Amino acid sequence: MSTESPVGPSSDAVRPAKIRLRHLQRAKQKGRPFSMLTAYDQFSARAFEEAGIEVLLVGDSVGTTVLGHASTTATTHQDMLTFTGAVARSVTRPLVLADLAFGTYESGPSDALRHGVELVRAGAEAVKLEGGAEIAPQVRALVGAGIPVIGHLGFTPQSVNALSGHRVQGRDEATAAKLRRDALALQEAGAAGVVLELVPAEVAGELTEALAIPTIGIGAGPRCDGQVLVWQDMAGLSGFHGTFVKAFADLGDQLRDAAQRYRAEVGERAYPGPEHSFE
């Protein structure tokens, strides 16, 4: 039985042993949405692999979700190498996608290529960078060197200061038209897909239909080919309740409750008990 079947929850589809970009492309062609979650460590990565998540994004969001920074612009290239390696060493099936950190590609193709190569050496199977037509030369350089690229349009967190905060992009005709031009420019440059963040659902749906490559939405409605969330938001650990976020668990409450019960038992000398001690 072939392992070349499309990604998706179809009963007649065989799950490929390793997710490749071609599987995401086939999922788009078959109309079968795929899932992506961020991951930064072995425990989350392995749990998501066991759950069948197709793509793990080692996002520069590690700076805000793990390292305590106020913005992803503080995430360094070394941070990305460290966390990409941790995830890549921990899984075998999902596609491992890693962000190029702020400042590693804006100056031009050679800088993008150097940092992209280092991410691949750390374990990334594709890299993601933010921007539209202006970064097409960087995309071409990466793809030309054999490094697959996923673009990122709409709200681009590394440009949070220029965008005056977390704002939905593409609500008027002019900005929606620019999103379309940028998406087509990324596709023409060789990008294998594009993330659409904080984009009106109708605009994201139109872009998904216009592009031959998959779209991955975050706050971009249900018509994208795939969906991505920051895992701490998805699991109710971060406490972030944005409009586009659905918490599928309450890990924050569960973790606090566990810590409180641990502290109480230590204070009462109930833990450790005889069963946890050595003679």
Side-chain angles (χ1 to χ4, degrees), residues 60-61 63-65 69-74 130 152-171 197-200 218-219 230 233 240-245:
D60 58 1
S61 51
T64 56
T65 60
H69 295 302
S71 168
T72 62
T73 57
E130 299 178 3
H152 188 145
L153 294 172
F155 171 71
T156 46
Q158 293 177 8
S159 303
V160 62
N161 296 320
L163 295 173
S164 298
H166 296 69
R167 299 167 61 89
V168 175
Q169 304 295 308
R171 277 183 160 156
E197 182 167 359
L198 298 188
V199 173
I218 177 167
V230 171
D233 298 342
F240 177 64
H241 302 291
T243 301
F244 62 90
V245 172

Side-chain angles (χ1 to χ4, degrees), residues 7 23 31 43 51-52 54 61 64 66 72 79 109 120 122 128-129 138 140 175 195 204 207 224 235 265 269:
V7 176
H23 297 116
F43 298 109
E54 291 89 356
S61 51
T64 56
V66 176
T72 62
D79 293 334
V120 170
K128 181 169 75 64
L129 63 168
Q138 286 92 318
R140 291 191 185 94
T175 55
V195 169
L207 288 173
C224 293
E265 290 197 15
R269 296 192 184 277

Side-chain angles (χ1 to χ4, degrees), residues 101-274:
F102 178 67
T104 63
Y105 60 91
E106 290 86 349
S107 65
S110 61
D111 213 21
L113 182 56
R114 177 168 63 88
H115 290 105
V117 165
E118 291 176 354
L119 276 179
V120 170
R121 284 177 175 159
E125 295 164 323
V127 301
K128 181 169 75 64
L129 63 168
E130 299 178 3
E134 71 278 4
I135 63 158
Q138 286 92 318
V139 174
R140 291 191 185 94
L142 288 161
V143 173
I147 301 174
V149 173
I150 302 293
H152 188 145
L153 294 172
F155 171 71
T156 46
Q158 293 177 8
S159 303
V160 62
N161 296 320
L163 295 173
S164 298
H166 296 69
R167 299 167 61 89
V168 175
Q169 304 295 308
R171 277 183 160 156
D172 59 73
E173 185 175 344
T175 55
K178 184 179 186 306
L179 278 176
R180 182 185 176 93
R181 291 194 300 271
D182 283 337
L184 291 172
L186 291 174
Q187 177 174 269
E188 176 65 24
V194 60
V195 169
L196 301 175
E197 182 167 359
L198 298 188
V199 173
E202 182 177 355
V203 174
E206 292 171 354
L207 288 173
T208 299
E209 292 177 6
L211 293 172
I213 57 177
T215 61
I216 303 106
I218 177 167
R223 291 167 60 191
C224 293
D225 299 302
Q227 297 291 333
V228 60
L229 282 175
V230 171
W231 88 257
Q232 291 93 336
D233 298 342
M234 178 278 299
L237 183 61
S238 67
F240 177 64
H241 302 291
T243 301
F244 62 90
V245 172
K246 178 178 179 178
F248 291 81
D250 295 306
L251 292 193
D253 288 342
Q254 294 175 31
L255 186 59
R256 280 187 294 273
D257 179 64
Q260 288 169 356
R261 289 188 289 112
Y262 165 71
R263 180 176 180 272
E265 290 197 15
V266 169
E268 297 164 359
R269 296 192 184 277
Y271 174 84

